[in-house]
Amino acid sequence: MSPALQAVVVAAVVGVSALSLLRALAPRATWQAQARLSYWLERPTRPAGLRRFGAWLRPSLAVTASACGTGCSTCKACK
């Protein structure tokens, strides 16, 4: 395997790991960042492909503890 390809693979693994860690430790901040990026991509002036990607990227609405029914132990969305 070439050194450049190895660097790309390692960077991808580190990036996915960092994103996973951020989602676990700071769910609200990652949700807000994902929402901002989604709405930025969905602007009417953007090309259709970017608008579709922004719509796909749009996070679901936050779930509250009362809507969950069981509290934070199962859905972990009310942190």
Side-chain angles (χ1 to χ4, degrees), residues 14 44 47-48 51-52 66 77:
V14 169
R51 287 192 311 247
R52 278 193 305 270
S66 61

Side-chain angles (χ1 to χ4, degrees), residues 36-59:
R36 275 190 229 112
L37 177 62
S38 165
Y39 291 127
W40 183 80
L41 289 172
E42 289 186 74
R43 289 183 183 170
T45 58
R46 304 281 184 243
L50 284 180
R51 287 192 311 247
R52 278 193 305 270
F53 181 66
W56 176 80
L57 189 64
R58 185 182 317 136

